[in-house]
Amino acid sequence: MRQEKKEDLEPTSYERVVFKNASDYHYLKIHLDCEEEVRLNDAHFKQLIISALKDLHGEVGASLPFDVLKFDEKSLSAILRVYSSGLVKLWSALTLLGSYHGKRCAFRVEQVSPFLLSLAGNSRELVLD
């Protein structure tokens, strides 16, 4: 059996591999909290989000494409779909909204995920029997 010298061994090379999220969209589960009772339909809800984008990011921000996939009028909660590139703009606009028609309101972002199915359940609210 042949003994290899240290000089004969080739140095080991390492390659750093970074996988970026391949998903085109991100999904947000949000709800609107208001101090007083507020009634909104889906069109007014989307318009409120667009005005929040416009207030923070101007006309360019207001043109950010997003979809309201599901909206519940009773709880004022919704599931939004936005391009991954616009996630931070939308999230920041939602966070900084402070009022609606003079009434103090705030959006609460409950969950964010690149996968719609992951919004179906919340491990923090899981009840085991």
Side-chain angles (χ1 to χ4, degrees):
M1 187 163 164
R2 181 177 167 231
Q3 289 276 346
E4 292 191 24
K5 297 179 184 177
K6 270 190 164 178
E7 297 86 32
D8 293 340
L9 295 175
E10 292 183 24
T12 306
S13 65
Y14 294 97
E15 180 180 351
R16 181 176 179 201
V17 179
V18 177
F19 292 106
K20 292 191 176 186
N21 187 4
S23 178
D24 292 335
Y25 296 102
H26 267 78
Y27 301 90
L28 293 91
K29 189 176 191 179
I30 64 171
H31 77 274
L32 182 64
D33 279 340
C34 293
E35 287 184 342
E36 299 176 27
E37 176 101 14
V38 173
R39 292 188 172 259
L40 289 171
N41 61 17
D42 54 350
H44 287 120
F45 191 80
K46 185 167 183 173
Q47 189 59 42
L48 178 60
I49 297 171
I50 291 171
S51 66
L53 283 164
K54 186 176 179 180
D55 289 345
L56 186 61
H57 301 291
E59 290 292 331
V60 175
S63 67
L64 181 76
F66 71 94
D67 300 308
V68 179
L69 300 180
K70 183 180 176 184
F71 176 67
D72 183 26
E73 289 185 26
K74 292 178 183 174
S75 64
L76 296 176
S77 61
I79 295 179
L80 307 179
R81 179 178 67 178
V82 64
Y83 282 109
S84 296
S85 60
L87 175 65
V88 174
K89 283 185 180 180
L90 179 61
W91 197 339
S92 61
L94 292 173
T95 303
L96 294 174
L97 179 80
S99 64
Y100 172 68
H101 288 296
K103 299 175 184 175
R104 293 182 58 192
C105 293
F107 276 107
R108 305 290 182 214
V109 179
E110 296 175 357
Q111 286 180 287
V112 178
S113 175
F115 308 106
L116 180 59
L117 186 60
S118 66
L119 299 184
N122 186 351
S123 63
R124 295 178 183 188
E125 297 173 358
L126 182 64
V127 177
L128 298 174
D129 292 332

